[in-house]
Amino acid sequence: MADIFHDIEDALKQDRLKKLWRWGRWPLAAIIIIIIGIVIAFVLVRDAAETRKLEQAEIFHDAFKALEEGKPSDAAEMYLELAKSSDDPAYLIFSQFRAAEAYLSDENLAGALETYDVIAANTDVPQIYRDLAIYISSDLLLDTLDFRQINEKLAPILLEGNIWRPLAQETLALSAIKAGKKDHARELLSSLTLDASAPEGLKDRAAQILAVLGTDK
């Protein structure tokens, strides 16, 4: 009988962890949407007087419209073509991010990961966005890569002072939990709750996951 209750307790813990895990992805989506929205607005206003820029803005708009109409594959192709043809750094960066999102909405994980890898490897892209691409692709691969692989992939943004470090720590902690390295996960999450640079929502989520892990024997 004791074994039955133990199994039930473990199942409940796993369910709670999965819910927290899924919830953790929403702040990232919000960050990306806000950043992309700001940059798109800036680009459209700044370039309104230039014919070539207007053409590029129209392509960006057409790709956005295709995505809204349920044609993510077409949208991704348009975004990537715009990224290749545009001489504007903003289009280069955010068209690729949007293409990756389109691939994801089309359940094309391979296409999204390839796009994020291209962003991460492009030295013409500011480091902050290259690191963001590394973080997103690592998060998408949580169910595929083992702890060592996730750790290696996240290594460039786990350095002190990196803006994405708190999110990377959370992802690494989740990978540690998945690998059964709960002590290491506790260490990462405890550090995260004390990190002054981490958003409050992220710290609260780390504390909640810790609370679940804390009941584990």
Side-chain angles (χ1 to χ4, degrees), residues 198-214:
E200 287 302 317
L202 187 61
K203 293 164 73 172
D204 290 344
R205 188 163 61 249
Q208 290 186 51
I209 299 174
L210 269 174
V212 177
L213 291 176

Side-chain angles (χ1 to χ4, degrees), residues 6-24:
H6 185 269
D7 290 343
I8 293 173
E9 183 181 1
D10 284 346
L12 288 173
K13 289 175 187 174
Q14 290 299 320
D15 183 59
R16 290 173 67 190
L17 284 171
K18 286 178 181 177
K19 288 179 180 178
L20 287 169
W21 189 323
R22 288 194 295 269
W23 179 42

Side-chain angles (χ1 to χ4, degrees), residues 5-206:
F5 284 119
H6 185 269
D7 290 343
I8 293 173
E9 183 181 1
D10 284 346
L12 288 173
K13 289 175 187 174
Q14 290 299 320
D15 183 59
R16 290 173 67 190
L17 284 171
K18 286 178 181 177
K19 288 179 180 178
L20 287 169
W21 189 323
R22 288 194 295 269
W23 179 42
R25 296 170 189 265
W26 287 106
L28 170 62
I31 290 171
I32 295 174
I33 290 170
I34 291 171
I35 292 175
I36 291 175
I38 292 173
V39 172
I40 291 173
F42 172 76
V43 169
L44 293 179
V45 171
R46 188 193 65 183
D47 296 340
E50 303 177 40
T51 301
R52 176 168 169 74
K53 301 299 184 181
L54 278 175
E55 291 175 352
Q56 294 173 352
E58 287 176 4
I59 295 173
F60 197 101
H61 176 266
D62 289 344
F64 181 79
K65 187 175 180 181
L67 193 57
E68 283 191 323
E69 293 174 348
K71 303 174 183 177
S73 180
D74 292 345
E77 291 180 9
M78 283 188 276
Y79 280 129
L80 290 178
E81 184 59 37
L82 179 58
K84 292 178 183 177
S85 63
S86 177
D87 54 3
D88 190 312
Y91 281 124
L92 168 66
I93 298 167
F94 294 103
S95 290
Q96 290 182 93
F97 273 109
R98 291 293 292 175
E101 289 182 36
Y103 279 132
L104 287 175
S105 68
D106 197 31
E107 299 184 358
N108 184 350
L109 180 60
L113 290 172
E114 181 180 355
T115 304
Y116 286 129
D117 286 344
V118 168
I119 297 171
N122 190 344
T123 56
D124 290 333
V125 174
Q127 192 66 49
I128 187 173
Y129 301 118
R130 296 172 65 190
D131 289 346
L132 176 59
I134 291 173
Y135 167 69
I136 298 174
S137 63
S138 299
D139 187 67
L140 290 171
L141 287 167
L142 268 175
D143 293 330
T144 305
L145 302 183
D146 60 28
F147 176 78
R148 179 187 59 80
Q149 292 170 314
I150 290 290
N151 192 19
E152 290 179 356
K153 190 171 178 62
L154 287 172
I157 56 177
L158 284 168
L159 301 176
E160 193 73 36
N162 191 295
I163 189 173
W164 307 113
R165 184 172 183 260
L167 283 168
Q169 280 184 289
E170 181 189 46
T171 296
L172 188 60
L174 293 172
S175 181
I177 294 170
K178 180 172 173 285
K181 300 177 181 293
K182 294 186 179 180
D183 286 341
H184 190 49
R186 290 186 184 97
E187 181 181 340
L188 287 165
L189 293 167
S190 295
S191 173
L192 189 53
T193 62
L194 300 174
D195 188 347
S197 68
E200 287 302 317
L202 187 61
K203 293 164 73 172
D204 290 344
R205 188 163 61 249

